[in-house]
Amino acid sequence: MATIINEPAHTFNEYLLIPGYSSSRCIPENVSLRTPLVKFRKGETPALSMNIPMVSAIMQSVSGDRLAVALATEGGVSFIYGSQTVEDEAAMVRRAKSYKAGFVRSDSNISPDATLGDVLRLKEQTGHSTVAVTEDGTPDGRLVGIVTSRDYRLSRMELSIRVRDFMTPFEKLVWAKEGTTLREANDIIWEHKLNSLPIIDDSGRLCYFVFRKDYENHKQNPNELLDSHKRYVVGAGINTRDYAVRVPALLDAGADVLCIDSSEGHTDWQKFTLAWIREHYGDSVKVGAGNVVDAAGFRFLADCGADFVKVGIGGGSICITRETKGIGRGQATAVIEVCAERDRYFEETGIYVPVCSDGGIVYDHHITLALAMGADFVMLGRYFARFDESPTNRVNIGGTYYKEYWGEGSARARNWQRYDMGGDKKLSFEEGVDSYVPYAGSLKDNVALTLSKVRHTMCNCGALTIPELQQKAVLTLVSSTSIVEGGAHDVIQKDTTPSFK
């Protein structure tokens, strides 16, 4: 007969933290969110740690090279999606690793034969008003001009007018050669009162932009996560099929840490993948595995040599695995059980294997709950998909901006490797949906707000570090009525939308 667990599996929304004693030192500015990314032995320092407990999901609609740079700037790690060719993923990793702080690769590019209408559509997609005009419309084509909002007036120009007829031509641009330092570039910007400075190579091809607005930002990134060569730390996703080809290519491109992207990690396929990596690279290559939802799954992957273990099946906002296959577990219950097993494993072996909570995060405070329950960091998809830096288009629907967001198990992604059970190389049925999420602006601003909430809550619990939170936290289950009570209720809320009459 099947083993039946009669205790319900709970979600983050069913828990609250009970505040504890806070000393005078317990203020948000004193809180450290530093956390281990990979396993380490007792008394040793992890080979990789993060300055914030956030990583981005291994998804087409979330983790490209732009988001990898933006998240590493804030102190976290992005895992560039693996559901693309080996060459394309390696190229993304290489671009992120070669990125120079302050030097931005252009993602708004157009050819001189395009029209004003094309410019407006591109601006709506990217949200950027500076458009590089290159001969072939590519990010690294020969620069022939720039278009900004100062170059056109919609009330006086036809949408069919060619870009070449209203752009600011190259001859009138102020530019700098590749090799110019960031300080020199900023001096040029201030001297000539520019908003942006294109950087070109000896052939006139566009390399980067330096923007005036980024000047202060790059002075205010104390949490930047850098490797020993002062490059951003970048992660990458792999699968259990082509790892013998993909892993060497990603390492050659400079990837600092890998993660097996799979909907279910308690399998021989992950065991084989980890064994191959250990046989060829020993412990020098850092690779996470998952996903699991119970103690047995954690123990299996830890014994197989995983550097961290991801927890969560079916809890993502675009995931329908529980609906289609009937497998999974409430995220809070899964995290609590796995983290308890992680602690037992540490006591027995002296090896600490970090736990990543993947999925189930709806509100910012759920991150704090996941950490309090034992997770070392969280993996987020929907959260990061909303930002400028995610790879998807920004679209206008009914006057409101959204970003596209789809699951790796959707027909759009067709990432059969993630759901591979050793059968045919195809996606037999969908385990994810295609959707939109509200556009939220820049990653930097949103992450800063989210982590401010985390720090404040930790202070309410009397904790200045994540391990201290896990030691001191007191969590209570709440009833459905209590959940209602926790929000605004029994009032008529005022309309906060500004009126311009």
Side-chain angles (χ1 to χ4, degrees), residues 211-229:
F211 292 97
R212 173 188 290 260
K213 64 181 175 61
D214 289 338
Y215 177 73
E216 287 299 326
N217 287 346
H218 290 295
K219 293 177 63 179
Q220 298 174 357
N221 294 316
N223 286 327
E224 281 183 322
L225 196 60
L226 306 173
D227 65 17
S228 58
H229 300 287

Side-chain angles (χ1 to χ4, degrees), residues 34-271:
R34 190 165 175 80
T35 192
L37 176 58
V38 297
K39 68 182 179 184
F40 58 95
R41 291 189 175 275
K42 188 174 184 179
E44 296 182 352
T45 301
L48 282 174
S49 293
M50 297 185 294
N51 293 323
I52 63 172
M54 302 172 79
V55 300
S56 68
I58 312 168
M59 300 175 68
Q60 295 174 11
S61 55
V62 178
S63 298
D65 49 296
R66 282 191 69 215
L67 194 123
V69 169
L71 186 50
T73 301
E74 300 308 309
V77 172
S78 181
F79 285 89
I80 291 175
Y81 68 91
S83 52
Q84 56 181 323
T85 67
V86 173
E87 295 76 16
D88 287 346
E89 186 181 10
M92 279 192 175
V93 171
R94 195 170 284 110
R95 285 199 296 270
K97 291 299 293 184
S98 63
Y99 179 87
K100 294 182 286 187
F103 293 84
V104 180
R105 183 175 166 85
S106 176
D107 67 347
S108 293
N109 312 283
I110 209 159
S111 74
D113 292 324
T115 66
L116 175 57
D118 295 326
V119 170
L120 297 178
R121 281 187 287 273
L122 181 61
K123 181 180 177 181
E124 184 170 322
Q125 288 176 7
T126 65
H128 300 148
S129 57
T130 299
V131 178
V133 185
T134 59
E135 275 188 337
D136 56 4
T138 63
D140 52 5
R142 193 172 73 85
L143 185 66
V144 296
I146 288 178
V147 172
T148 71
S149 56
R150 292 175 298 182
D151 291 311
Y152 55 84
R153 294 182 66 179
L154 296 179
S155 61
R156 298 189 179 184
M157 296 169 64
E158 297 291 334
L159 295 181
S160 59
I161 187 173
R162 298 291 177 184
V163 168
R164 66 172 71 254
D165 296 326
F166 65 90
M167 69 182 185
T168 299
F170 181 79
E171 296 76 26
K172 294 184 179 181
L173 295 177
V174 177
W175 48 270
K177 277 289 186 71
E178 188 178 20
T180 300
T181 66
L182 183 59
R183 173 172 291 183
E184 291 168 340
N186 282 315
D187 286 343
I188 295 171
I189 286 174
W190 287 100
E191 179 183 349
H192 293 274
K193 300 180 179 179
L194 306 173
N195 287 323
S196 63
L197 177 72
I199 309 294
I200 62 174
D201 65 14
D202 291 333
S203 302
R205 292 182 172 275
L206 179 62
C207 301
Y208 308 102
F209 273 106
V210 177
F211 292 97
R212 173 188 290 260
K213 64 181 175 61
D214 289 338
Y215 177 73
E216 287 299 326
N217 287 346
H218 290 295
K219 293 177 63 179
Q220 298 174 357
N221 294 316
N223 286 327
E224 281 183 322
L225 196 60
L226 306 173
D227 65 17
S228 58
H229 300 287
K230 305 298 182 183
R231 302 173 302 179
Y232 287 122
V233 172
V234 178
I238 61 174
N239 61 65
T240 57
R241 285 276 186 161
D242 65 5
Y243 50 84
V245 176
R246 193 172 294 268
V247 169
L250 295 175
L251 296 176
D252 183 65
D256 298 278
V257 57
L258 307 175
C259 184
I260 302 172
D261 182 29
S262 175
S263 65
E264 210 275 290
H266 199 167
T267 70
D268 267 349
W269 313 114
Q270 297 223 0
K271 180 179 179 180

Side-chain angles (χ1 to χ4, degrees), residues 61 317-318 362 381-390 392-397 399-406 435-443 446:
S61 55
S317 60
I318 42 69
V362 181
R382 179 193 60 85
Y383 178 89
F384 288 117
R386 304 173 300 148
F387 303 150
D388 288 321
E389 295 84 358
S390 73
T392 64
N393 292 326
R394 188 180 70 157
V395 296
N396 189 315
I397 303 175
T400 301
Y401 282 107
Y402 297 86
K403 293 274 281 186
E404 295 177 297
Y405 180 46
W406 59 91
S435 64
Y436 298 102
V437 289
Y439 167 67
S442 73
L443 178 146
N446 284 276

Side-chain angles (χ1 to χ4, degrees), residues 302-381:
D303 287 341
C304 287
D307 283 291
F308 64 85
V309 173
K310 286 205 296 150
V311 178
I313 294 177
S317 60
I318 42 69
C319 185
I320 54 173
T321 294
R322 296 180 190 176
E323 292 181 31
T324 57
K325 295 169 70 175
I327 64 169
R329 199 174 195 184
Q331 188 68 8
T333 299
V335 168
I336 291 169
E337 180 174 317
V338 169
C339 289
E341 185 67 13
R342 184 264 323 275
D343 293 343
R344 283 191 290 269
Y345 191 84
F346 182 47
E347 290 177 7
E348 294 171 16
T349 66
I351 300 174
Y352 187 91
V353 182
V355 167
C356 169
S357 176
D358 177 16
I361 303 291
V362 181
Y363 304 109
D364 287 347
H365 75 270
H366 289 171
I367 296 175
T368 319
L369 288 170
L371 298 175
M373 291 171 181
D376 297 279
F377 55 96
V378 297
M379 177 172 276
L380 303 162

